[in-house]
């Protein structure tokens, strides 16, 4: 993997548009580490100890979270972002944040205007059934269809879909899927490039090249299957790896931990690892705050809480408490933040 120099955090000072006050979106319900452990932090006075680029502990905790919210932008939403300094914004159709490209662009600029460090803005535009109509970005063929046309078509289609995302202010396309379809799980039948590992690997590599050609980051989605496509993604310098369920209910917390160990130990991948959306989990699974801590303590770098700010805020508080208690080491948090700051500067002008 390429190594980038870590730069100081940059204040992205976009002017926020006037917004009307309302409450943030609500919802009815609110392992071995690859880094050495730090001593337990005794009290909240540790909040003032600076980390990478002079960030406070609280800023660092926000930095390892990618957050989304329901509904349009409001003063309450902007204030919540200002207080928590989340490191990522995820904008997806189901949240109904904005109705057209100008509104999406303004949403991103307004959130950035509340930040004291870079914020990574992500969406998912794979083609097929995984598109974002409100962006008015072309929705081309899904992986199964375009894969039959070969790697050149895969690369071209990904560039075509990713370039308009960059123009709107997005930094990351959460694509492609790096799993081989095994004939089960209908969700993957379209999102996978096929049933042969070698074919999927070459198409994953082409998709990453297409996203990079558009000037944004790629995040391969992997549910713990065949390693060949993941090795190809690493060779293509994928910017993030998302360990996620991808609609496969069998990928529970224990299997996610196993996938993390495979990724870090067997494959030797030391880049940014991001969770799937922790609010989209099978019934009876861990609450998002518990799942987030398990993911971070297990070697992950960033967690997604994609739909409700009250759930994100509770997760933030749980991470903060874990750092103060020593359950999640400050050294591990620092290492993840450093990688995320580097990633935030990857395609910055």
């Amino acid at each position: 993997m390429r190594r980038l120099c870590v730069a100081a955090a940059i204040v992205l000072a976009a002017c926020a548009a006037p917004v009307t006050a309302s409450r943030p979106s609500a919802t009815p319900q609110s392992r071995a580490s690859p880094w050495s452990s730090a001593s337990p932090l005794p009290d909240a006075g540790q909040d003032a100890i600076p980390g990478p680029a002079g960030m406070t502990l609280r800023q660092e905790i926000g930095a390892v979270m990618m957050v989304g919210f329901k509904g349009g932008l409001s003063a309450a939403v902007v204030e919540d972002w200002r207080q928590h300094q989340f490191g990522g914004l995820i904008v997806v159709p189901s949240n109904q944040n904005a109705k057209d490209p100008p509104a999406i662009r303004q949403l991103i600029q307004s959130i950035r205007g509340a930040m004291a460090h870079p914020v990574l803005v992500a969406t998912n535009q794979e083609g097929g059934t995984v598109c974002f109509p409100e962006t008015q970005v072309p929705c081309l063929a899904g992986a199964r269809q375009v894969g039959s046309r070969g790697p050149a078509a895969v690369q071209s289609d990904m560039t075509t879909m990713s370039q308009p995302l960059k123009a709107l202010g997005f930094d990351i396309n959460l694509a492609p899927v790096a799993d081989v379809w095994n004939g089960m799980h209908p969700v993957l039948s379209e999102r996978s490039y096929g049933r042969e590992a070698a074919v999927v690997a070459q198409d994953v590599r082409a998709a990453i090249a297409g996203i990079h050609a558009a000037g944004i980051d790629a995040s391969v989605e992997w549910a713990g299957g065949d390693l060949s496509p993941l090795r190809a993604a690493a060779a293509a310098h994928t910017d993030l790896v998302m360990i996620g369920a991808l609609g496969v209910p069998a990928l529970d917390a224990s299997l996610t931990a196993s996938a993390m160990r495979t990724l870090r130990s067997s494959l030797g991948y030391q880049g940014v690892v991001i969770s799937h959306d922790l609010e989209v989990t099978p019934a009876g699974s861990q609450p998002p705050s518990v799942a987030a801590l398990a993911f971070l303590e297990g070697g992950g770098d960033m967690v997604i809480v994609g739909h409700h700010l009250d759930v994100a805020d509770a997760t933030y508080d749980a991470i903060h408490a874990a750092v103060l208690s020593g359950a999640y080491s400050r050294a591990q948090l620092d290492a993840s933040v450093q990688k995320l700051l580097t990633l935030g500067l990857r395609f910055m002008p």
Side-chain angles (χ1 to χ4, degrees):
M1 295 293 293
R2 58 180 180 274
R3 297 184 179 274
L4 302 174
C5 296
V6 177
I10 294 177
V11 177
L12 298 176
C15 295
V19 291
T20 58
S22 67
R23 293 181 60 82
S25 56
T27 183
Q29 61 184 32
S30 305
R31 291 153 281 274
S33 167
W35 294 282
S36 59
S37 297
S39 300
L41 300 176
D43 54 47
Q46 293 292 332
D47 283 347
I49 297 176
M55 294 172 68
T56 67
L57 172 59
R58 288 188 174 275
Q59 287 175 332
E60 287 190 72
I61 291 166
V64 298
M65 297 181 64
M66 178 172 282
V67 173
F69 58 92
K70 293 283 188 180
L73 195 66
S74 68
V77 167
V78 173
E79 182 57 28
D80 194 279
W81 275 78
R82 194 183 310 279
Q83 290 180 9
H84 293 93
Q85 293 290 302
F86 298 121
L89 167 66
I90 185 166
V91 188
V92 291
S94 62
N95 280 346
Q96 299 182 322
N97 298 133
K99 295 181 179 180
D100 53 36
I104 292 170
R105 187 180 295 109
Q106 184 59 63
L107 167 76
I108 293 170
Q109 291 175 348
S110 297
I111 292 295
R112 284 195 162 126
M115 302 303 291
H117 57 74
V119 58
L120 296 164
V121 185
T123 194
N124 191 354
Q125 180 88 10
E126 297 174 17
T129 60
V130 185
C131 290
F132 193 168
E134 288 78 7
T135 63
Q136 298 179 16
V137 171
C139 187
L140 303 181
R144 181 178 62 180
Q145 290 78 20
V146 70
S148 65
R149 291 158 40 206
V154 171
Q155 180 170 339
S156 175
D157 279 14
M158 272 300 185
T159 300
T160 298
M161 289 189 289
S162 298
Q163 281 177 333
L165 294 179
K166 181 178 178 65
L168 289 174
F170 288 98
D171 304 292
I172 303 171
N173 189 354
L174 298 170
V177 169
D179 277 285
V180 179
W181 187 45
N182 62 3
M184 301 172 62
H185 309 304
V187 171
L188 277 180
S189 68
E190 180 184 351
R191 298 180 65 192
S192 169
Y193 285 105
R195 302 181 71 162
E196 297 180 16
V199 172
V200 173
Q202 70 176 6
D203 286 344
V204 163
R205 189 165 186 157
I208 292 168
I211 294 170
H212 284 169
I216 63 175
D217 293 318
S219 175
V220 298
E221 300 177 54
W222 181 63
D226 196 295
L227 283 177
S228 300
L230 202 57
R231 289 193 181 98
H237 306 300
T238 187
D239 306 281
L240 308 92
V241 172
M242 176 187 286
I243 295 180
L246 297 175
V248 182
L251 191 67
D252 59 14
S254 62
L255 290 177
T256 298
S258 175
M260 181 76 76
R261 288 192 296 271
T262 299
L263 182 63
R264 293 297 198 198
S265 301
S266 300
L267 194 64
Y269 177 78
Q270 295 304 314
V272 174
V273 181
I274 188 169
S275 76
H276 68 287
D277 184 356
L278 298 178
E279 288 198 80
V280 183
T281 53
S285 59
Q286 296 173 316
S289 59
V290 176
L293 284 173
F295 185 84
L296 293 170
E297 291 168 11
D301 298 299
M302 191 177 222
V303 294
I304 297 179
V305 181
H307 303 286
H308 297 94
L309 282 179
D310 60 336
V311 177
D313 294 349
T315 302
Y316 173 100
D317 291 341
I319 298 171
H320 183 239
V323 175
L324 294 182
S325 72
Y328 175 38
S329 79
R330 181 68 183 272
Q332 187 172 342
L333 174 63
D334 286 349
S336 291
V337 171
Q338 185 166 312
K339 284 191 283 186
L340 289 164
L341 286 173
T342 299
L343 183 64
L345 300 174
R346 170 68 176 86
F347 284 109
M348 198 168 288

